[in-house]
Amino acid sequence: MEKYANLFDIKKRIRFQTQVVSISKDDLKNEQIPWIVQTEIVTDGKKETYEFDFVVIATGLFSQPNIPTFKGQHRFSGIITNPQEIKSIEQLENKDVLVIGCGKCATDMTVLASKYARSCHMLFRRAHWMLPRQIVSGFLPVRILFIRALSTIYPPIPNAPCGFLLRFLHEKFPSLFMKISEGIGNDIMSIHGPEFSEDKIFIPQHPLRNVENVAMISSDFVQLKRQHRFTSKLATIDEILDGKTVRLNTGEELQADIIIAATGFSQQFPFFSEKDLQSMGLREADGSIQLNLYRRVVPVGIPNIAFVGHVASTAYWTIAEITSHWISDYFLKRLKLPKTKDEMYREIQENGEFIVKIFNRNVENYRYYWINLIEIYLNDIGVDLHRTTNWISEYFGIYRPERIKGLHEERKIIFLTGKKPTHFYLSFKLTIFIVFFLFFIYLFFF
């Protein structure tokens, strides 16, 4: 991270050990008025005030751990914490550890506790899909899922720049794509082995197509499960009875010195006033935070502010990188936006309804949808969606961050010339044409 900061000479623009206390302005809709940002230095409490023309909220999805409270919690003599606070194995040694959750953080904490703690219990309400490092009977790396061809097995999200044929196939032959995703799910379970799921605890309750959560696990986790180095239970904490005793909703009692709540993160924007949260469409009627943002980036009708890194997807970092380019063009007024606010609100609603229909979760969680989001932003910016030189590598090569490393220069060309930068691309249609052309040449001359 420090090398990255030095490369772009941005350390001088960073205020370390500084907390943002408030972000506001008198009229959110007036783009001529600057944003007032108040900060406080953590070490000495010194307060400072700045004025900015533009503000980007990049607090992301993983800044505020969600730690539940438990009945009888005041009786507990141990520690209730989150995975971010586990800094060394010494914190776990000779401890009875209870890990709550079934996602990536939970499995990582379980692996550590199983190796170094006196005992480890893993507690969760329902199992999630756990991706192994290798799939397709163990022959291919799981990153093979990050190819454009495989992304077509899921119906495209609204407003994605997809062809008519793909949408037609999903509409007319949905069972075909369901069978493909079921096959991937069966392959995942078979790789883990029957002994991994023999107790029925780690069998996901949702099809892979409607996955509630998905995480990549280490081979250590599977091995430790087979060796019974930890116990896993489908349950919740009913009450903490004394300094070490935890009673589950099943009636079972466990001993714990430390409870690690790997229970996700919550969306909070404490630097905005309640009035401004509502004006930007971030506060729901029930009091919860919901990012009702156009393109998942900007609040409708509120200029000069944007949100980046608040979309949960398997290509989180790549999407955030491309979104930053989108935001730059947005602030520079180079994007072609909908003509009316109603069109923006309509898109937000369509996306929300789509995600709820597929995953029954909030509108920021796009799970395995990554190429659709990437191509929406690339299309808005005006660059070519094909990021390699031929259709084989484009659709069957792993979509690595290197594909977008030239975005800055491409955007610069668009600004200076008004034209989309082009590069040679051997399309599937061109390949077929060349094959037929060579075939007729062969027939004619030979």
Side-chain angles (χ1 to χ4, degrees):
M1 184 68 75
E2 186 171 355
K3 288 181 179 179
Y4 181 91
N6 290 333
L7 177 64
F8 294 99
D9 193 27
I10 60 175
K11 289 178 70 174
K12 63 184 179 183
R13 300 183 182 277
I14 301 175
R15 299 293 181 266
F16 295 99
Q17 295 292 312
T18 302
Q19 177 184 358
V20 174
V21 177
S22 70
I23 301 174
S24 64
K25 62 178 177 177
D26 293 335
D27 184 357
L28 296 184
K29 298 181 180 180
N30 190 337
E31 62 181 333
Q32 303 302 321
I33 301 177
W35 291 94
I36 306 300
V37 178
Q38 295 183 334
T39 66
E40 180 178 331
I41 300 177
V42 176
T43 53
D44 58 14
K46 180 182 178 181
K47 293 179 172 56
E48 296 179 326
T49 301
Y50 301 90
E51 289 188 2
F52 295 102
D53 296 317
F54 305 98
V55 169
V56 178
I57 308 300
T59 50
L61 295 170
F62 313 111
S63 59
Q64 187 62 43
N66 176 42
I67 302 181
T69 56
F70 308 103
K71 182 180 180 182
Q73 182 170 312
H74 62 283
R75 305 188 188 105
F76 191 58
S77 61
I79 299 173
I80 300 176
T81 186
N82 66 84
Q84 290 182 338
E85 298 303 318
I86 303 301
K87 309 295 185 182
S88 67
I89 61 175
E90 285 77 12
Q91 294 174 265
L92 305 175
E93 288 179 333
N94 300 316
K95 299 287 196 311
D96 294 315
V97 178
L98 176 58
V99 179
I100 304 175
C102 194
K104 173 62 175 170
C105 285
T107 57
D108 287 346
M109 287 295 103
T110 299
V111 167
L112 283 175
S114 298
K115 291 181 177 180
Y116 301 106
R118 182 167 49 234
S119 69
C120 177
H121 300 284
M122 187 179 182
L123 194 68
F124 48 92
R125 292 176 295 175
R126 48 189 172 270
H128 301 317
W129 279 95
M130 296 182 172
L131 297 181
R133 299 288 178 175
Q134 304 288 122
I135 60 173
V136 189
S137 299
F139 290 110
L140 294 175
V142 71
R143 62 177 180 271
I144 201 70
L145 294 176
F146 286 94
I147 64 174
R148 287 184 63 177
L150 273 181
S151 69
T152 60
I153 68 176
Y154 303 110
I157 66 175
N159 310 110
C162 299
F164 167 79
L165 179 60
L166 180 61
R167 294 187 184 276
F168 174 81
L169 291 174
H170 273 285
E171 181 180 344
K172 298 300 181 181
F173 306 101
S175 59
L176 171 64
F177 298 100
M178 289 181 183
K179 288 181 180 179
I180 296 174
S181 60
E182 287 174 6
I184 296 175
N186 292 335
D187 175 68
I188 291 171
M189 296 303 293
S190 67
I191 290 172
H192 290 326
E195 65 273 22
F196 181 77
S197 55
E198 60 187 355
D199 55 11
K200 309 297 183 184
I201 290 177
F202 282 103
I203 296 179
Q205 285 116 12
H206 297 276
L208 183 61
R209 190 177 185 81
N210 304 105
V211 61
E212 180 171 311
N213 201 349
V214 61
M216 185 183 298
I217 59 172
S218 67
S219 57
D220 284 353
F221 182 81
V222 178
Q223 188 64 29
L224 291 166
K225 169 70 167 60
R226 292 170 179 167
Q227 296 173 354
H228 305 288
R229 298 279 292 277
F230 67 90
T231 61
S232 48
K233 301 179 184 298
L234 282 171
T236 59
I237 293 179
D238 180 55
E239 185 177 3
I240 298 177
L241 301 179
D242 56 37
K244 284 197 62 169
T245 309
V246 176
R247 185 176 67 202
L248 309 183
N249 63 339
T250 59
E252 184 179 0
E253 295 181 2
L254 302 175
Q255 298 297 301
D257 297 303
I258 180 171
I259 298 174
I260 304 177
T263 47
F265 298 81
S266 61
Q267 288 279 38
Q268 295 183 20
F269 302 103
F271 36 76
F272 289 130
S273 69
E274 189 62 34
K275 178 183 177 182
D276 287 350
L277 283 174
Q278 293 179 1
S279 298
M280 288 188 283
L282 306 180
R283 180 72 79 188
E284 293 289 281
D286 61 2
S288 63
I289 291 290
Q290 188 80 29
L291 272 66
N292 297 306
L293 306 171
Y294 174 69
R295 290 289 201 250
R296 297 151 293 277
V297 183
V298 295
V300 178
I302 311 297
N304 300 348
I305 189 169
F307 294 72
V308 63
H310 292 85
V311 175
S313 172
T314 49
Y316 178 83
W317 298 111
T318 304
I319 292 171
E321 171 72 15
I322 297 174
T323 304
S324 68
H325 288 274
W326 191 98
I327 291 172
S328 176
D329 272 4
Y330 168 71
F331 286 158
L332 293 169
K333 299 186 183 302
R334 297 176 184 172
L335 294 180
K336 185 178 180 181
L337 301 176
K339 296 180 180 180
T340 66
K341 295 180 183 178
D342 287 342
E343 292 179 76
M344 292 185 176
Y345 284 125
R346 192 178 306 117
E347 178 179 320
I348 294 171
Q349 182 178 356
E350 288 176 354
N351 276 271
E353 291 173 349
F354 178 83
I355 294 302
V356 170
K357 177 183 177 182
I358 299 293
F359 303 123
N360 194 29
R361 293 295 291 271
N362 61 44
V363 297
E364 298 96 32
N365 212 323
Y366 283 76
R367 298 291 193 275
Y368 46 68
Y369 283 100
W370 57 277
I371 192 63
N372 283 173
L373 298 179
I374 286 174
E375 294 194 338
I376 283 174
Y377 298 127
L378 292 178
N379 193 56
D380 285 350
I381 293 171
V383 299
D384 201 331
L385 302 187
H386 297 134
R387 309 302 300 174
T388 68
T389 58
N390 62 83
W391 66 273
I392 297 176
S393 60
E394 181 68 33
Y395 286 92
F396 296 95
I398 297 170
Y399 204 105
R400 301 181 186 277
E402 286 83 355
R403 294 200 189 191
I404 61 170
K405 66 180 180 181
L407 274 185
H408 177 74
E409 292 302 319
E410 292 176 59
R411 291 173 49 226
K412 186 176 180 179
I413 291 173
I414 293 174
F415 172 68
L416 294 175
T417 67
K419 298 179 181 180
K420 177 189 293 188
T422 59
H423 66 278
F424 175 76
Y425 177 72
L426 180 62
S427 67
F428 180 74
K429 292 180 181 179
L430 181 57
T431 302
I432 297 298
F433 174 80
I434 293 173
V435 170
F436 275 100
F437 177 77
L438 293 176
F439 177 72
F440 283 119
I441 292 293
Y442 174 81
L443 291 179
F444 183 79
F445 288 102
F446 300 98

